[in-house]
Amino acid sequence: MTSYSTDSDSPCIALCSTALGDNVCRGCGRTFIEVAEWSALPGADKAAIWDCLPARRQAIALAACLGRTLEQLDVDEDGTEWARLTHPSAGVVQFALRADPDGWRLWARRAGSPSECLTKPLADEAELAETTARRLVGWLRGEWPAVAD
């Protein structure tokens, strides 16, 4: 858990795109609802959102590499957040970056299909968006197979 001690701390970095119609802010990574309700949220809810932001920022960077923005975040029963975007040739695609002891792993799925792991753990965050974008595009084209979990 991230240690933020006051209820007034905000992840805002003054690059808010929710004002431009994005459901997920390209600046801080919060959803429109989280931005709108931030000042009224209890500290525990804020801390939970703070904990999600590293993966969301990586997902935003991945979407940007694809020339897209995140349309929505869907949450599974197990708490996994899936970033949703529409790809011109593949339609609606969801992907999740999951923390692994050795780095991040990229998972992807299309509507109605099971998720597939597309990467081994990636520890270098500088290369993460570029590497995952290349693999996601290859997967969308049917050129990149899933990897063993």
Side-chain angles (χ1 to χ4, degrees):
M1 179 185 261
T2 308
S3 59
Y4 292 93
S5 59
T6 69
D7 290 340
S8 62
D9 283 339
S10 171
C12 181
I13 60 170
L15 296 173
C16 190
S17 67
T18 58
L20 302 174
D22 287 349
N23 189 44
V24 180
C25 180
R26 290 179 251 169
C28 69
R30 292 177 295 166
T31 66
F32 176 81
I33 298 295
E34 291 166 348
V35 170
E37 296 179 352
W38 188 258
S39 62
L41 289 174
D45 290 352
K46 289 179 182 181
I49 293 166
W50 273 103
D51 289 343
C52 294
L53 294 182
R56 287 183 187 179
R57 287 188 183 117
Q58 292 295 335
I60 290 164
L62 174 53
C65 286
L66 298 171
R68 319 297 316 146
T69 58
L70 299 184
E71 296 166 4
Q72 188 170 327
L73 296 169
D74 301 313
V75 182
D76 279 351
E77 307 81 43
D78 67 359
T80 300
E81 277 192 347
W82 290 88
R84 185 189 324 174
L85 58 81
T86 301
H87 189 268
S89 62
V92 175
V93 176
Q94 293 177 307
F95 62 92
L97 289 157
R98 295 182 184 161
D100 183 279
D102 298 320
W104 295 90
R105 286 180 182 253
L106 172 67
W107 291 77
R109 67 184 182 193
R110 291 182 177 96
S113 298
S115 60
E116 298 180 59
C117 183
L118 303 184
T119 63
K120 298 286 187 193
L122 299 166
D124 184 354
E125 290 193 25
E127 294 182 54
L128 184 61
E130 182 181 331
T131 301
T132 54
R134 216 174 30 248
R135 292 185 183 180
L136 185 57
V137 168
W139 178 79
L140 291 169
R141 293 179 181 159
E143 300 165 357
W144 189 270
V147 297
D149 188 19

